[in-house]
Amino acid sequence: MTNAVDVQNFIDGTQWSVGSARRANESLLKNGNFEGVADNLNGITWKEIDTGTIYWRMGKSPLDYYSNAYLAYEEFDVLSKKLNLDMKLSSFNRMAAVACLLGKPFNVNRLELDADNRGLSYSNALDCALHDSDALSDVLSIAFKYMEDNDELVEQSYKIYLQLLDIFEKEHDIKTLIVMAEENWIKRKNCRYYRSFTESHGYGKYNDMFLDIDLAAVCKKMKIDYNGLHAWRW
């Protein structure tokens, strides 16, 4: 279990990073270092989502932080279009779920949709499904390749999301799938696959600090009556 000091120290650290990146961007913009600005917007997006999710887990509204994250995403989107920057930022896979929760549009073309990568292909498939993208079929073809050869916790988790989204045929009723998804989040605490990912993926002590925003986004999109730990209430 994490304690109050751990949580507050983490929040303080994320918000210091956000402020530092914002200040740095003022100078970077003046010097024309637009890739540096984009990198900082990536970090801002991550940190604001992290902070908001921690507050959500504490029972407090994440809206201010999630809205700030979405603004950072929009800044990058505008900047990249204006300067024709072909950059795909890692934070945007998390932003896709947050945008769904906020009821905001999201440009899936900012994702690395052609990435031949196990975890990223699953995340891309989920994000395309959340935002009704025409790219879903192509992304699923990559994801299927990995799902055919693997059946670990990450595959089990995404299969449940995609069943709830009616992309895959349901193997259980909705209530059972939700319970399984909740159990999968708890299992992440000791799952070595998630050890190399950021804290918000729920490995180790961070499992008690964060929650499953992907499950929340799926339930919101599908209008599933869910009131558990990972439910979106705002």
Side-chain angles (χ1 to χ4, degrees), residues 10 14 46-47 50 54 185 194-207 209-211:
F10 193 93
T14 60
W46 270 112
K47 299 301 183 182
D50 279 356
I54 292 170
W185 175 262
Y194 291 97
R195 183 169 61 180
S196 61
F197 291 88
T198 58
E199 296 88 348
S200 60
H201 287 81
Y203 180 77
K205 68 179 183 180
Y206 298 105
N207 194 269
M209 190 183 297
F210 291 91
L211 42 70

Side-chain angles (χ1 to χ4, degrees), residues 20-30 36-38 40-41 44:
S20 178
R22 285 292 185 195
R23 290 188 293 273
N25 272 0
E26 294 178 6
S27 175
L28 291 171
L29 280 170
K30 291 178 181 178
V37 172
N40 279 339
L41 290 172
I44 290 169

Side-chain angles (χ1 to χ4, degrees), residues 9-117:
N9 285 341
F10 193 93
I11 291 173
D12 290 345
T14 60
Q15 290 306 291
W16 182 89
S17 296
V18 168
S20 178
R22 285 292 185 195
R23 290 188 293 273
N25 272 0
E26 294 178 6
S27 175
L28 291 171
L29 280 170
K30 291 178 181 178
N31 294 326
N33 186 348
F34 300 114
E35 289 194 0
V37 172
D39 284 339
N40 279 339
L41 290 172
N42 179 38
I44 290 169
T45 304
W46 270 112
K47 299 301 183 182
E48 294 286 35
I49 292 174
D50 279 356
T51 305
T53 307
I54 292 170
Y55 276 115
W56 176 0
R57 182 67 190 252
M58 295 166 62
K60 301 177 182 179
S61 173
L63 285 177
D64 286 346
Y65 299 100
Y66 279 7
S67 296
N68 289 341
Y70 190 79
L71 287 174
Y73 152 72
E74 286 189 312
E75 284 183 57
F76 174 83
D77 205 36
V78 170
L79 181 66
S80 61
K81 288 176 181 176
K82 181 179 180 180
L83 301 172
N84 198 29
L85 294 176
D86 186 24
M87 296 183 68
K88 316 290 185 181
L89 300 191
S90 59
S91 62
F92 286 171
N93 285 96
R94 306 302 289 165
M95 190 67 249
V98 170
C100 180
L101 293 171
L102 295 175
K104 298 284 190 178
F106 178 80
N107 181 5
V108 298
N109 292 321
R110 291 288 171 225
L111 304 174
E112 296 179 60
L113 294 178
D114 59 350
D116 193 354
N117 174 282

Side-chain angles (χ1 to χ4, degrees), residues 112-171:
E112 296 179 60
L113 294 178
D114 59 350
D116 193 354
N117 174 282
R118 181 183 173 194
L120 194 54
S121 69
Y122 302 156
S123 182
N124 286 340
L126 174 61
D127 296 340
C128 285
L130 288 174
H131 293 279
D132 302 314
S133 170
D134 293 337
L136 177 60
S137 178
D138 290 338
V139 172
L140 278 176
S141 68
I142 302 174
F144 280 146
K145 178 179 67 176
Y146 288 101
M147 287 183 174
E148 288 176 352
D149 296 332
N150 300 278
D151 189 29
E152 298 180 13
L153 182 60
V154 61
E155 282 80 29
Q156 295 162 16
S157 297
Y158 278 100
K159 285 177 181 177
I160 289 175
Y161 300 148
L162 294 172
Q163 287 179 48
L164 290 170
L165 286 164
D166 290 334
I167 304 300
F168 289 175
E169 182 178 351
K170 289 183 177 65
E171 298 178 3

